[in-house]
Amino acid sequence: MGSSATGGPGPPVTPSAPVTAALAWIEEHLCTDFTVADVAAAVGLSDVRLQARFRRELGSPIGEYRSRARIYRAKALLRETSAPVTGIAHALGFSTSQYFATVFRRYVGVAPSEYRDGCGPTYRGLDGPAPPGAASRAAMPAP
């Protein structure tokens, strides 16, 4: 049996063209500070309509998707580079390294430094799949 984007029964949902365009825009601007209105304007929908479609098709709001995609990329950077945690936090668009650590711990279950110190390919089984549309880039993103 398949599952919908929200995890319920049913066939997998293929994102619509506007949601696919939003995913691409978010990935391109992941390390910048943007609003839902910015994404909506880029794909030609109102922010309310985009939020509703995004949530219905992918099962999470845009802000949560952005956080998960940033953390996914942070995990790759922590595993594959020796960049300081603070540098990774700022490069990924987090306002402070403390906020980055809080968000990282919420999604991964450990602090970024603990993740790096104990990092193997599947540290404590916490390296799940990437959010839809997220690409892992080992190189530090441009600020």
Side-chain angles (χ1 to χ4, degrees):
M1 184 186 290
S3 66
S4 69
T6 58
V13 175
T14 301
S16 63
V19 171
T20 300
L23 289 169
W25 192 94
I26 292 167
E27 180 63 28
E28 184 178 331
H29 297 90
L30 190 60
C31 303
T32 64
D33 189 28
F34 62 83
T35 65
V36 172
D38 296 330
V39 183
V43 301
L45 292 176
S46 72
D47 50 339
V48 172
R49 184 170 296 257
L50 177 61
Q51 282 272 46
R53 287 183 83 157
F54 202 93
R55 183 184 292 269
R56 182 176 67 243
E57 294 177 26
L58 298 179
S60 67
I62 290 171
E64 182 180 326
Y65 173 84
R66 175 175 59 179
S67 293
R68 285 188 295 130
R70 284 178 171 174
I71 295 305
Y72 181 78
R73 191 172 299 171
K75 290 188 321 185
L77 291 167
L78 289 165
R79 283 191 312 266
E80 300 168 18
T81 73
S82 60
V85 172
T86 300
I88 291 172
H90 291 291
L92 290 175
F94 288 92
S95 55
T96 68
S97 59
Q98 292 82 7
Y99 180 61
F100 167 65
T102 299
V103 174
F104 193 94
R105 186 180 295 273
R106 181 180 334 135
Y107 285 96
V108 182
V110 295
S113 57
E114 291 176 84
Y115 179 85
R116 174 179 270 162
D117 291 344
C119 197
T122 55
Y123 176 62
R124 293 168 98 190
L126 299 170
D127 285 337
S136 171
R137 296 186 185 138
M140 286 286 288

